[in-house]
Amino acid sequence: MGQATDSLSLLGWLTKLRRITAEAKVPYAADYVEDFLESTENDKIAIGVHHHTVRDGLKMALEARGIYPLTYSGQDTPFAKDRILQRFEKEDNQRVLIISELAGGFGINLQFCANTLILERQWNYADEEQFVSRFHRNGQKKAVVADFVLCENTIDSYFHDMVLEKKAIFGETIGSWDFTSDYTSLKELAERVTAGRIR
């Protein structure tokens, strides 16, 4: 019971840090999207997010720059989701989509878009792989570019390093690894974050 309680406490603390860090990355993401739109002609880009506050903050930041993105999340009805994806694919002026990585990770095809900016890393590596695979569906004619926004010396960079380490250790089995249910990994990440803060 003690370890389960500790896991929940650690996960809650780390999740809060993750959200705060992602919210702090919104201005950078808005700059990235603006530069992308100015430097390409018709290319589209999908920004992967996890938290609603990050989605809404990025939407507001882009709208302040005269960019009006579509949004796609688990809160949308199936009909609305279909309509959003149709607009993103067919309408030339709809070049930006802010999409929940979890809602967009299954059952959709984004092969008409070759660019994604992942603003928030997923803590179940398989979920992240599922999301990126949406851009590699049959019919994709371009090389897919998937960029990650990482903040140095934050929970972002510590978690990124851990994912790479776990991937190297477990190889193909990493697909079934769920960070949020692995107490040892939760504890290790918490120790890395706190050690980084104390230095």
Side-chain angles (χ1 to χ4, degrees), residues 106 122-130 159 163 166-183 185:
F106 295 93
Q122 288 302 308
W123 285 5
N124 180 336
Y125 185 76
D127 290 336
E128 196 167 86
E129 286 290 291
Q130 283 286 344
F159 179 69
V163 168
K166 299 289 185 186
K167 187 176 181 181
I169 293 168
F170 296 115
E172 292 304 313
T173 63
I174 194 71
S176 61
W177 172 59
D178 186 351
F179 171 82
T180 58
S181 62
D182 181 351
Y183 177 71
S185 293

Side-chain angles (χ1 to χ4, degrees), residues 22-183:
E23 289 171 352
K25 292 188 287 185
V26 163
Y28 174 82
D31 287 343
Y32 183 104
V33 171
E34 189 171 31
D35 289 344
F36 173 86
L37 295 177
E38 289 176 355
S39 62
T40 60
E41 271 191 45
N42 300 310
D43 288 356
K44 295 174 184 279
I45 186 168
I47 302 99
V49 299
H50 182 79
H51 291 94
H52 297 152
T53 55
V54 177
R55 176 200 65 199
D56 295 344
L58 180 57
K59 186 173 186 289
M60 288 177 60
L62 290 172
E63 287 177 348
R65 299 166 186 240
I67 301 165
Y68 298 93
L70 295 167
T71 61
Y72 181 106
S73 76
Q75 295 175 323
D76 297 312
T77 65
F79 176 81
K81 287 177 182 177
D82 287 343
R83 178 68 181 136
I84 291 162
L85 291 182
Q86 285 176 19
R87 291 187 63 198
F88 186 47
E89 179 178 9
K90 304 294 185 187
E91 297 179 16
D92 291 341
N93 64 328
Q94 295 293 342
R95 296 176 61 196
V96 181
L97 173 68
I98 303 172
I99 182 170
S100 162
E101 292 170 61
L102 295 180
F106 295 93
I108 68 169
N109 296 318
L110 293 168
Q111 73 274 19
F112 56 87
C113 176
N115 304 281
T116 181
L117 178 68
I118 297 176
L119 191 53
E120 296 186 82
R121 300 297 303 268
Q122 288 302 308
W123 285 5
N124 180 336
Y125 185 76
D127 290 336
E128 196 167 86
E129 286 290 291
Q130 283 286 344
F131 175 71
V132 174
S133 73
R134 300 299 98 194
F135 300 85
H136 290 277
R137 311 312 287 173
N138 289 338
Q140 178 59 264
K141 297 177 180 177
K142 299 181 180 179
V144 174
V145 177
D147 285 334
F148 296 85
V149 183
L150 300 176
C151 287
E152 192 175 357
N153 296 323
T154 69
I155 191 171
D156 258 5
S157 56
Y158 301 125
F159 179 69
H160 177 73
D161 291 343
M162 274 188 64
V163 168
L164 294 180
E165 289 170 19
K166 299 289 185 186
K167 187 176 181 181
I169 293 168
F170 296 115
E172 292 304 313
T173 63
I174 194 71
S176 61
W177 172 59
D178 186 351
F179 171 82
T180 58
S181 62
D182 181 351
Y183 177 71

